[in-house]
């Protein structure tokens, strides 16, 4: 199964930092960046299929549709099992961590910005995705 990486964050500086970090990693191929959750949702709906998995690095607090709203919409999709989410957020609230655990598709919760040591988690998840 092919994996498409989607980075969703409303902060242009964070997007730039993540592009730089991801650009020098094994995740650089095919990574896409979205400043709005609505744009990411539209992209996923147009491209979802049985042979593509999405690995989302998702911020929580965004204007318009936030990360929770996106997760709620993704839960409604027929192929929702092809979507894997890692929350990448500045939130330090335990309630956000607890809420994230309520979504089967959420497989991690990282503090932003991404760091090199976060790639260990992403590599494990990508390996799991590609074995299905």
């Amino acid at each position: 199964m092919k994996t498409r990486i989607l980075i969703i964050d409303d902060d242009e500086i964070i997007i730039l930092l993540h592009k730089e970090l991801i650009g020098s990693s094994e995740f650089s191929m095919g990574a896409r960046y979205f400043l709005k959750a609505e744009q990411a949702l539209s992209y996923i709906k147009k491209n979802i299929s049985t042979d593509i998995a999405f690995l989302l690095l998702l911020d929580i607090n965004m204007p318009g549709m936030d990360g929770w709203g996106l997760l709620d919409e993704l839960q409604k999709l027929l192929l929702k099992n092809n979507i894997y989410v890692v929350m990448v957020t500045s939130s330090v609230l335990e309630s956000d961590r607890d809420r994230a655990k309520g979504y089967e598709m959420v497989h991690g919760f990282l503090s932003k910005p991404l760091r090199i040591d976060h790639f260990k988690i992403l590599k494990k998840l990508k390996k799991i995705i590609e074995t299905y």
Side-chain angles (χ1 to χ4, degrees):
M1 182 176 299
K2 292 182 181 180
T3 304
R4 292 199 180 160
I5 311 272
L6 307 182
I7 294 84
I8 307 155
D9 197 302
D10 65 309
D11 186 331
E12 292 184 32
I13 300 299
I14 292 295
I15 291 281
L16 181 63
L17 290 171
H18 289 174
K19 274 185 182 179
E20 287 296 316
L21 189 59
I22 289 171
S24 61
S25 77
E26 68 184 76
F27 297 101
S28 64
M29 295 297 289
R32 290 183 168 71
Y33 303 86
F34 299 91
L35 289 167
K36 295 183 177 194
E38 296 90 346
Q39 295 168 332
L41 179 60
S42 176
Y43 177 82
I44 291 167
K45 284 181 173 180
K46 287 179 186 172
N47 292 282
I48 199 161
S49 71
T50 56
D51 63 334
I52 295 175
F54 293 95
L55 173 54
L56 280 59
L57 305 181
L58 177 61
D59 186 22
I60 293 174
N61 298 311
M62 296 181 284
M65 180 185 287
D66 63 10
W68 304 122
L70 179 58
L71 286 170
D72 290 340
E73 289 300 313
L74 294 173
Q75 292 275 98
K76 298 174 187 175
L77 297 179
L78 185 60
L79 294 173
K80 66 182 177 187
N81 292 334
N82 287 20
I83 301 170
Y84 301 79
V85 179
V86 175
M87 307 304 285
V88 182
T89 181
S90 57
S91 174
V92 294
L93 298 175
E94 195 62 35
S95 60
D96 282 339
R97 288 181 179 274
D98 291 341
R99 186 173 178 185
K101 290 175 186 175
Y103 293 90
E104 280 187 45
M105 63 182 60
V106 175
H107 295 271
F109 198 98
L110 302 173
S111 298
K112 68 176 173 179
L114 284 175
R115 299 185 312 265
I116 294 294
D117 60 317
H118 289 153
F119 283 100
K120 292 176 193 172
I121 295 165
L122 299 179
K123 284 179 187 180
K124 285 181 186 176
L125 187 52
K126 187 172 184 270
K127 189 173 183 176
I128 290 168
I129 293 168
E130 292 177 348
T131 60
Y132 287 102

